Amino acid sequence: MIEIGRLCVKIAGRDSGLKCVVVDDLGKGFVLIDGQTRRRKCNMMHLEPLNEILKIKKNASHDEVVKELKKLKIEVVEKKGKKKKTEKPVKQRKKKEAPAKEEAPAKGAKEKTAAKKEAPKKKQEKKKSK
Amino acid sequence: MPAGRYRSRTLRRVYKRTPGNKVKLVYKKRKPSKAQCAGCGSDLKGTFRGRVPVMMNLPKTKKRPERPYGGVLCSRCARRKIILASRQ
Ligand SMILES: [Zn+2]
């Protein structure tokens, strides 16, 4: 009754009411199905066989199954994968006194260097005084 | 003696411990009845029972099964319906 290529309707679970094809026999009453449903292992008790048999090989790929189903006018809607989240645009603060800020550290650096330069001079002066 | 409106058993009684470590009687509304199958009238499984404010904060998937006719028909009635439709 249920052999490879048999068109079925799934009657249990999330995919129930959707048409599928038996792709492989897994033994112990389980088969591999593909088509409008997800490609998955399935209990034979959860399938209602239909009249049609598709010409597909054992373990046929998803694309081959979709091609064969199209001949019977059974459309398979491909689910779009989750889109990658785009990064939110970050607001950039207005730079009010950008040039002033740049100058400030430079000034400090200069002062520091100046102080450093002065320090040895003072020492020298002290030495001279001694 | 409780106030007149609390003397019937319309509201359910819940004992609650207050922050002051006293036990007080609080009156709360009862849960709604279980959801029924539209085909055979049996109680539906996998459906959530709760008052509206609780149900509002629950995701859809926790309130009914994720199959066609989920939350309306029981699994047996839904299966029968799908099989009959496939045979036509
Ligand atoms: Zn039912």
Side-chain angles (χ1 to χ4, degrees):
Chain A
M1 190 73 171
I2 291 186
E3 61 269 58
I4 289 168
R6 170 69 71 182
L7 191 69
C8 298
V9 177
K10 193 141 191 303
I11 53 173
R14 168 144 80 109
D15 293 335
S16 61
L18 299 177
K19 284 176 180 170
C20 61
V21 183
V22 177
V23 179
D24 195 3
D25 188 8
L26 303 174
K28 290 185 180 177
F30 285 101
V31 287
L32 185 72
I33 58 168
D34 200 353
Q36 286 179 330
T37 65
R38 294 165 286 166
R39 188 185 178 93
R40 74 201 309 278
K41 183 180 150 189
C42 176
N43 192 332
M44 275 203 247
M45 303 293 285
H46 299 161
L47 292 174
E48 175 71 12
L50 300 179
N51 290 331
E52 291 89 348
I53 296 179
L54 304 187
K55 285 177 185 174
I56 53 166
K57 288 174 190 171
K58 191 181 173 183
N59 263 327
S61 67
H62 179 69
D63 296 333
E64 289 169 2
V65 172
V66 172
K67 259 187 191 177
E68 288 295 319
L69 283 176
K70 261 197 176 178
K71 289 175 188 172
L72 293 174
K73 293 180 181 175
I74 297 169
E75 289 286 325
V76 178
V77 181
E78 298 292 337
K79 275 190 178 177
K80 285 175 191 173
K82 273 187 182 178
K83 277 183 186 176
K84 281 182 185 175
K85 279 183 183 177
T86 51
E87 284 182 11
K88 281 183 183 177
V90 183
K91 261 192 182 179
Q92 286 190 345
R93 279 190 174 182
K94 280 179 186 175
K95 285 177 185 175
K96 261 188 182 176
E97 294 164 18
K101 272 181 187 175
E102 280 173 14
E103 279 174 18
K107 269 184 186 175
K110 271 180 191 174
E111 279 168 12
K112 273 179 187 176
T113 50
K116 273 180 188 176
K117 277 176 188 173
E118 279 170 18
K121 271 181 189 176
K122 276 178 188 174
K123 275 181 186 177
Q124 281 173 4
E125 279 170 18
K126 275 178 189 176
K127 276 178 188 176
K128 276 178 187 176
S129 63
K130 275 176 186 178
Chain B
M1 201 72 166
R5 62 186 179 282
Y6 293 139
R7 279 163 69 179
S8 76
R9 290 283 168 165
T10 315
L11 300 172
R12 72 193 169 93
R13 298 167 181 207
V14 182
Y15 290 98
K16 278 222 156 180
R17 191 171 288 276
T18 59
N21 202 22
K22 279 181 184 175
V23 175
K24 271 206 145 190
L25 186 58
V26 180
Y27 294 86
K28 288 199 166 180
K29 284 183 174 175
R30 288 181 190 277
K31 268 188 188 178
S33 61
K34 283 178 186 173
Q36 314 288 332
C37 170
C40 60
S42 63
D43 288 348
L44 286 183
K45 283 164 176 103
T47 51
F48 197 86
R49 278 175 78 193
R51 293 242 140 213
V52 174
V54 181
M55 298 288 271
M56 267 164 54
N57 292 324
L58 280 178
K60 224 173 189 180
T61 49
K62 280 194 179 168
K63 288 183 266 197
R64 83 276 186 282
E66 277 268 81
R67 84 176 92 84
Y69 301 105
V72 180
L73 292 178
C74 69
S75 62
R76 247 181 284 158
C77 290
R79 197 173 288 194
R80 198 179 304 144
K81 194 162 185 164
I82 291 164
I83 291 171
L84 286 176
S86 75
R87 282 177 188 170
Q88 278 170 3

